[in-house]
Amino acid sequence: MAGKRDYYEVLGVSKSATDDELKKAYRKMAKKYHPDANLDNKEEAEKKFKEVNEAYETLSDPQKRRMYDQFGPDGPQGFGRRSRSFWRRIFIYDFRI
């Protein structure tokens, strides 16, 4: 997904943000974009809310954050996900040889 925004930008923090700063920014953004708090534009709010959750889930985990900082959103840790059928084909092919 090449159109993903930078997770630090999504949460409005710097790349050197501490865990406490991440949590504070996450809570602020989650409250701002919670679908129940945006009844007039629920679909857009839900989309942004999911983006905020994904950003926090990645940046709050030290290992995921290191991988994200090193490789970006399309890194090898599942940020650029492949379909199950893709991996099934790879797995089956590898064992047929």
Side-chain angles (χ1 to χ4, degrees), residues 6-96:
D6 179 61
Y7 287 159
Y8 293 102
E9 182 182 312
V10 169
L11 294 176
V13 296
S14 69
K15 290 190 183 225
S16 61
T18 65
D19 290 339
D20 288 336
E21 291 170 331
L22 283 172
K23 186 183 284 189
K24 185 177 179 181
Y26 165 71
R27 288 181 176 174
K28 178 181 174 185
M29 299 302 283
K31 184 176 180 180
K32 179 178 180 180
Y33 292 118
H34 196 282
D36 291 343
N38 292 284
L39 298 175
D40 56 326
N41 196 1
K42 196 169 187 169
E43 291 177 14
E44 184 67 24
E46 187 174 320
K47 182 179 169 187
K48 289 185 178 188
F49 185 72
K50 287 180 181 180
E51 185 179 37
V52 167
N53 280 322
E54 184 178 339
Y56 182 69
E57 181 182 323
T58 300
L59 297 180
S60 64
D61 181 302
Q63 183 179 5
K64 287 182 182 179
R65 185 174 181 177
R66 268 195 309 276
M67 295 292 284
Y68 179 81
D69 288 344
Q70 186 174 2
F71 298 107
D74 296 322
Q77 179 203 327
F79 296 107
R81 295 190 174 123
R82 301 272 185 168
S83 69
R84 186 184 321 214
S85 62
F86 171 82
W87 292 113
R88 187 175 294 137
R89 285 192 304 255
I90 297 297
F91 181 75
I92 291 170
Y93 178 76
D94 285 346
F95 285 97
R96 286 185 183 170

